[in-house]
Amino acid sequence: TLEVSVSRNEVPNQDSSRGNVTIQFSAHLPSSTACFATKPNPCLTISRREPETGKMIIVWESEVVRSSLTAHFASLTIPVKKLCGGNLESELTIEVRSKKTMTGQNTLIGELKTSVNH
């Protein structure tokens, strides 16, 4: 199973779209990941739906952690406006992907859907 641990602080007042959210990510990938010949190079993306177009847009992408089944990513501090458009209930999609270093192609490992308030 895929585990992603998300902790947050500095969440602004419910009525405010101002302020920042700080998030810490770590991903623990199964050692028997059948789709990889070698250890994956995990990276994370956070996407949200753009209200005007309905399309998902990437609002943040992490660094790549090379050849790791347990990835600890740098802490992220992001403005609420950029993360969720100021709507703390807006659905966010967090994807864990393995990035091939030579080609830059990504393979989806897993994803979760959440919001700032959940």
Side-chain angles (χ1 to χ4, degrees), residues 34-91:
C35 59
F36 300 104
T38 60
K39 287 184 182 177
N41 298 311
C43 66
L44 297 172
T45 60
I46 300 176
S47 303
R48 69 173 166 91
R49 192 164 308 282
E50 185 62 42
E52 295 82 31
T53 64
K55 293 182 180 180
M56 293 299 287
I57 58 167
I58 294 175
V59 295
W60 177 78
E61 185 171 357
S62 76
E63 75 280 9
V64 174
V65 178
R66 300 210 182 271
S67 300
S68 180
L69 293 175
T70 301
H72 298 283
F73 298 92
S75 156
L76 164 68
T77 299
I78 186 169
V80 171
K81 192 75 169 164
K82 180 176 181 182
L83 178 64
C84 58
N87 178 355
L88 301 180
E89 295 295 330
S90 178
E91 183 178 86

